[in-house]
Amino acid sequence: MKRFAMLIVAALLTAPVFAADLCDINLQKLEDALATQAPNGDTATQQVEQLKAKAEEAKVVGDTEGCINNSNKALQVLENSDKGGGGIS
């Protein structure tokens, strides 16, 4: 029982670290994707840049969940635009 309790405590203590890592990973993916795209000023690119800016702002103020949410949305827009689906609503 003690091992199980220690495992739960360890998982709870490391969860914020994984979240911060996910925020950084998503922001890096966005940087890479935007760097390799030709600037065309389309709606999807503008939406991605806005969401990326919101994610970076959230990271600065310590809102890891906001960073992850906005960066995930931006990555989704990129994925949809690669498939020809445009942005998200």
Side-chain angles (χ1 to χ4, degrees):
M1 184 68 174
K2 287 183 183 180
R3 288 184 191 176
F4 181 72
M6 293 297 284
L7 181 63
I8 296 298
V9 169
L12 292 174
L13 291 175
T14 58
V17 174
F18 291 131
D21 286 345
L22 182 58
C23 173
D24 289 334
I25 289 167
N26 285 352
L27 288 173
Q28 187 60 51
K29 285 181 184 178
L30 290 170
E31 282 289 326
D32 295 344
L34 291 171
T36 59
Q37 286 183 347
N40 56 10
D42 70 354
T43 306
T45 302
Q46 291 173 356
Q47 192 175 13
V48 168
E49 289 173 351
Q50 290 172 350
L51 287 165
K52 180 179 170 284
K54 287 181 183 179
E56 289 172 337
E57 290 173 16
K59 180 182 175 184
V60 167
V61 298
D63 180 10
T64 304
E65 186 175 334
C67 177
I68 292 170
N69 289 338
N70 285 304
S71 60
N72 278 337
K73 287 178 186 177
L75 289 168
Q76 184 179 5
V77 170
L78 282 173
E79 184 177 320
N80 288 344
S81 67
D82 285 346
K83 294 178 183 176
I88 61 171
S89 46

